[in-house]
């Protein structure tokens, strides 16, 4: 009752869930974005690759780009390539303004693109404190949740996306 996908990749590719994006420092004027990409070479020869990472803002405009120096990845090996980018005047993600950026990672050899990986990014700060609780973007935020079963009652486990959206809309209206 679940969807199944068959993913076909080049011998040199970004591993499944191989892009890790974090924001080590965030302020109203800029955000440092760290991108680590795990590249796997399943070919029989060493490959020289570069990674071009582009961050697009919620409206789709490119706000930061970085191309890594060429890296040699040995045959049947995996390597992690790290990059740092800066987003100026970031639109912070919050529960009331869920601004979502998109990180596009392109794995290239020469001018040929071998693989493209897209990852969502919400730029924000989150902190837990024993004295003041949870804060999101420097503001105290109460966490409200529910214990919810995976199915939708009479609809069972094989449900439509709209049924899940409706359930989330109802929960959100309740303050979750």
């Amino acid at each position: 009752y679940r969807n199944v996908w068959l993913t076909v990749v080049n011998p040199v590719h970004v591993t499944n869930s191989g892009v890790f994006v974090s924001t080590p420092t965030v302020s109203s004027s800029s955000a440092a974005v760290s991108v680590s990409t795990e590249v796997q070479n399943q070919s029989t020869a060493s490959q020289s690759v570069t990674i071009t990472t582009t961050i697009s803002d919620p409206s789709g405009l490119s706000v930061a780009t970085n191309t890594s120096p060429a890296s040699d990845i040995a045959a049947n090996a995996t390597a992690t390539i790290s990059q740092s980018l800066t987003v100026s005047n970031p639109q912070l993600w919050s529960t009331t303004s869920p601004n979502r950026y998109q990180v596009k990672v392109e794995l290239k050899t020469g001018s040929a693109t071998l693989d493209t990986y897209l990852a969502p990014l919400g730029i924000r700060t989150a902190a837990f404190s024993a004295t003041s609780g949870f804060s999101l973007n420097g503001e105290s935020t109460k966490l409200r949740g529910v214990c919810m079963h995976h199915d939708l009652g009479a609809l069972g486990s094989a449900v439509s996306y709209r049924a899940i959206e409706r359930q989330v809309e109802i929960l959100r209206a309740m303050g979750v």
Side-chain angles (χ1 to χ4, degrees):
Y1 59 87
R2 301 275 191 235
N3 293 327
V4 176
W5 292 269
L6 175 64
T7 304
V8 179
V9 295
N10 288 312
V12 181
H13 58 274
V14 176
T15 62
N16 187 33
S17 299
V19 175
F20 180 75
V21 182
S22 64
T23 52
T25 57
V26 175
S27 70
S28 60
S29 60
S30 71
V33 179
S34 295
V35 180
S36 295
T37 306
E38 190 175 68
V39 179
Q40 188 171 28
N41 179 4
Q42 292 180 320
S43 70
T44 57
S46 177
Q47 296 287 323
S48 178
V49 299
T50 59
I51 293 193
T52 299
T53 300
T54 304
I55 300 175
S56 300
D57 69 10
S59 65
L61 297 173
S62 175
V63 293
T65 301
N66 184 324
T67 299
S68 71
S71 297
D72 287 326
I73 302 177
N76 294 312
T78 302
T80 300
I81 299 171
S82 298
Q83 296 173 287
S84 295
L85 299 95
T86 301
V87 174
S88 298
N89 303 311
Q91 299 175 46
L92 299 182
W93 182 96
S94 70
T95 57
T96 55
S97 298
N99 297 309
R100 195 168 91 167
Y101 287 75
Q102 184 174 56
V103 179
K104 180 180 180 182
V105 175
E106 294 176 284
L107 174 65
K108 298 179 181 183
T109 181
S111 61
T113 301
L114 302 176
D115 199 1
T116 300
Y117 195 98
L118 300 174
L121 169 64
I123 298 175
R124 80 287 184 265
T125 61
F128 286 94
S129 165
T131 56
S132 58
F134 175 70
S135 66
L136 180 65
N137 299 325
E139 295 180 21
S140 179
T141 303
K142 298 295 180 198
L143 297 176
R144 297 183 188 116
V146 295
C147 180
M148 187 172 76
H149 200 265
H150 78 280
D151 68 9
L152 292 173
L155 295 178
S157 295
V159 297
S160 69
Y161 287 114
R162 179 61 195 127
I164 300 277
E165 284 176 338
R166 180 179 175 275
Q167 187 176 48
V168 171
E169 288 167 358
I170 292 168
L171 291 172
R172 185 132 169 102
M174 291 170 42
V176 173

